Amino acid sequence: MSARLPFDLYAQGRTVDAELGQGEECRSSRTPMRPRQRIDGELYAYVDPPGFARVFEEGPARLTVTVRDGRRTIRVFESDVDLAYNYPNGRDCDGDTWLAGRVELA
């Protein structure tokens, strides 16, 4: 599960709280915001919360991302995201345990 964020929100030391919900299941994670290279000519920051891929089912989910600078909230994003099976190491190696989703937040 990864989310692209506008690059102008990137600042060293900022963190991102990501909460993913699907039906009755909900998980949250705090991770550092990381810069990313140019994608289609645009600069993006991104967040890739650990552990979400093994919790949820394939299908729609709701993502809430809160960008923080210390205790101060900089911006909150909410978006629907479609989760789908992904096999980064091949299906024989990964089985059915990896779900992935990607969303661009603006």
Side-chain angles (χ1 to χ4, degrees):
M1 170 72 241
S2 65
R4 290 186 196 176
L5 300 164
F7 191 75
D8 62 347
L9 287 178
Y10 175 77
Q12 191 138 9
R14 282 189 177 166
T15 58
V16 177
D17 292 340
E19 181 177 280
L20 189 64
Q22 186 182 56
E24 303 270 330
E25 195 70 49
C26 187
R27 291 284 189 275
S28 61
S29 175
R30 177 170 286 176
T31 59
M33 182 185 285
R34 295 180 293 218
R36 189 169 187 143
Q37 301 290 329
R38 290 185 186 276
I39 302 171
D40 299 327
E42 298 292 325
L43 284 170
Y44 290 93
Y46 76 108
V47 60
D48 193 4
F52 284 1
R54 294 181 181 262
V55 175
F56 298 95
E57 299 293 324
E58 200 168 35
R62 184 74 176 165
L63 176 68
T64 302
V65 171
T66 304
V67 178
R68 298 188 188 281
D69 195 346
R71 293 184 180 168
R72 192 174 106 218
T73 297
I74 303 298
R75 191 137 170 218
V76 178
F77 298 91
E78 289 186 312
S79 180
D80 293 324
V81 60
D82 286 320
L83 302 177
Y85 283 111
N86 183 33
Y87 307 98
N89 301 306
R91 190 175 187 135
D92 290 340
C93 182
D94 294 333
D96 289 337
T97 59
W98 292 96
L99 283 171
R102 180 169 290 160
V103 65
E104 185 170 328
L105 303 172

